[in-house]
Amino acid sequence: MDESVVVSPDWLASRLDDPAVRVVDVRDAWEFDGIGHVPGAVSIPFDSYRDESDVDRGTLPGADAFATLLGDAGISPDDTIVAYDDTHGVFAARFVLTALEYGHDDVRLLDGDYSAWNQTYETTSDTPEIDPVDYEADPLEPDESPLVGYDAVEAALERDAVFVDTREREEFEEARLPGAVRFDWRDVIDDETRRLKPEDELEALLADRGITPDREIVLYCNTARRISHTYVVLTALGYEDVMFYEGSLTEWLANDGETESGPVSTE
């Protein structure tokens, strides 16, 4: 896996003393304080960078709000951020996607989660000392961003794009975009280690669904959380033509977009 996107616990453990490597814990604050955390990690809970009222950009918090979060956590634009949660990385992946969208150049997902880290390395309940900084976000231009809206998705339906639905089977069968394939985001996780499966196994799983690097790919779920994890995994595997439908099925249905329903024989 590309270490500029996903890093192992060993990678992080060897760099905890590097002041330019900043670890972000996106679990609830009570988990950070009460259960413990990776040494030196700062707490930026998941609900602090989701804005349900932001009708223009789905659930993104806004560049200024996100910049304030990072600045208050003592994170500078030049820092390397490594994010983790305790839910196989799905909430941390949303943080990664958000940071990238707002122009942070070096942000990575910890392979595994807090429980995976805790299998090998020490944790702490010590509260880190934080020196707030002024952080200025530099949001990506629309033509640089993987995030797309309804019109772009509608246009992609007319092309030979692969629409990837990362939700549960029941959700998929109830309503989905036309021609979509289902790829549960959790299929990439090894249940025993809580980490990503080996690269060759991941590539085989994806190829079995027709999700290959030579295809144009559109990811969606319900509210763009689960596809964040799949997006990070595909990026780490070298996929380059991946669109991230931020509004996902929620926006699609609100616009009366065409859907299919029912079981699929290949499922």
Side-chain angles (χ1 to χ4, degrees):
M1 303 293 282
D2 186 345
E3 286 190 340
S4 70
V5 182
V6 175
V7 298
S8 68
D10 291 345
W11 186 98
L12 179 58
S14 68
R15 292 166 173 81
L16 285 182
D17 293 332
D18 185 341
V21 175
R22 306 304 309 278
V23 186
V24 171
D25 184 316
V26 307
R27 298 173 299 158
D28 290 338
W30 72 265
E31 295 176 281
F32 181 85
D33 293 329
I35 298 176
H37 49 265
V38 173
V42 294
S43 176
I44 303 182
F46 174 71
D47 59 6
S48 67
Y49 55 92
R50 294 276 282 187
D51 184 2
E52 302 296 342
S53 68
D54 187 354
V55 295
D56 292 328
R57 298 295 285 164
T59 53
L60 290 172
D64 291 342
F66 193 71
T68 298
L69 277 176
L70 295 192
D72 288 348
I75 296 173
S76 299
D78 292 335
D79 287 338
T80 295
I81 300 176
V82 179
Y84 73 89
D85 55 32
D86 202 14
T87 324
H88 300 304
V90 68
F91 294 102
R94 180 66 192 185
F95 180 92
V96 170
L97 184 283
T98 304
L100 291 171
E101 181 66 15
Y102 291 135
H104 198 96
D105 288 333
D106 192 353
V107 56
R108 315 183 192 194
L109 178 70
L110 179 63
D111 183 8
D113 53 18
Y114 178 76
S115 293
W117 172 272
N118 199 25
Q119 290 178 10
T120 306
Y121 294 105
E122 292 184 356
T123 62
T124 183
S125 295
D126 294 342
T127 301
E129 294 184 7
I130 297 175
D131 295 319
V133 300
D134 290 328
Y135 187 105
E136 292 188 13
D138 185 19
L140 298 179
E141 296 294 331
D143 61 347
E144 299 175 328
S145 171
L147 274 61
V148 295
Y150 180 88
D151 291 342
V153 172
E154 192 173 43
L157 280 174
E158 303 299 321
R159 303 191 296 270
D160 188 31
V162 179
F163 281 77
V164 179
D165 186 316
T166 64
R167 301 174 301 153
E168 304 273 358
R169 181 190 299 272
E170 293 78 11
E171 297 172 291
F172 180 80
E173 292 182 347
E174 182 177 354
R176 59 182 177 270
L177 269 69
V181 297
R182 193 180 80 89
F183 185 81
D184 191 319
W185 72 272
R186 293 169 298 189
D187 286 347
V188 302
I189 303 295
D190 183 304
D191 291 333
E192 183 175 344
T193 65
R194 299 183 69 90
R195 294 181 57 183
L196 294 173
K197 293 175 180 176
E199 186 171 341
D200 57 350
E201 189 172 341
L202 293 178
E203 291 173 342
L205 284 169
L206 291 161
D208 187 55
R209 296 290 185 190
I211 307 168
T212 53
D214 60 312
R215 303 290 298 278
E216 178 185 18
I217 296 166
V218 181
L219 302 175
Y220 76 92
C221 53
N222 281 339
T223 58
R225 174 173 55 85
R226 287 171 280 189
I227 58 173
S228 298
H229 192 272
T230 307
Y231 177 80
V232 170
V233 171
L234 292 180
T235 302
L237 289 172
Y239 285 63
E240 296 180 351
D241 196 358
V242 182
M243 289 190 284
F244 185 104
Y245 185 16
E246 172 70 7
S248 278
L249 195 66
T250 299
E251 180 185 74
W252 189 258
L253 293 175
N255 283 276
D256 297 321
E258 180 185 357
T259 60
E260 295 177 346
S261 60
V264 177
S265 60
T266 57
E267 269 290 284

